[in-house]
Amino acid sequence: MTQKLSELASLAEPHGGGVRWPVHNATRAPIFMDGWCNGTAGHVLLFALAYDVLRVDGFAELAERGAESAWAAEMELGTLCCGLASIGYAFTAAYQTSRQLAE
């Protein structure tokens, strides 16, 4: 499991002071999404959970850096899945992860 998470982590690209992940890496111009399905918010939740279960500090850092990227999102959608609500959940997960690191 850690190997696949590390492989996904290696696909992160800088954005807005943080990182984000392309939806897929098969095109010349990568496509990025901000929400939770295939987007940065979903990756934040994934890496926050991965840190909670596996205690790999790099996963906590990815959750925080992903939240930083999500903060830079330029969207106005209010839906749970693809909009600002999913980014709010990502912020909560990143905050909880950062508190665990501080303990």
Side-chain angles (χ1 to χ4, degrees):
M1 177 188 307
T2 304
Q3 180 181 352
K4 286 297 182 184
L5 287 165
S6 296
E7 186 179 329
L8 179 61
S10 72
L11 298 174
E13 296 190 15
H15 175 257
V19 294
R20 65 182 179 177
W21 290 261
V23 173
H24 56 80
N25 59 0
T27 63
R28 286 190 167 166
I31 299 168
F32 298 95
M33 296 179 72
D34 297 313
W36 115 16
C37 296
N38 301 311
T40 302
H43 286 87
V44 169
L45 294 166
L46 173 67
F47 282 109
L49 177 62
Y51 173 75
D52 192 40
V53 173
L54 302 170
R55 293 296 189 221
V56 175
D57 289 345
F59 295 156
E61 180 185 345
L62 284 170
E64 291 177 2
R65 294 189 67 212
E68 180 94 18
S69 177
W71 180 258
E74 296 181 13
M75 68 164 57
E76 296 179 12
L77 295 173
T79 64
L80 178 62
C81 175
C82 299
L84 296 173
S86 67
I87 292 173
Y89 279 114
F91 291 157
T92 301
Y95 171 74
Q96 291 171 338
T97 299
S98 67
R99 287 194 52 158
Q100 290 174 13
L101 280 173
E103 294 176 354

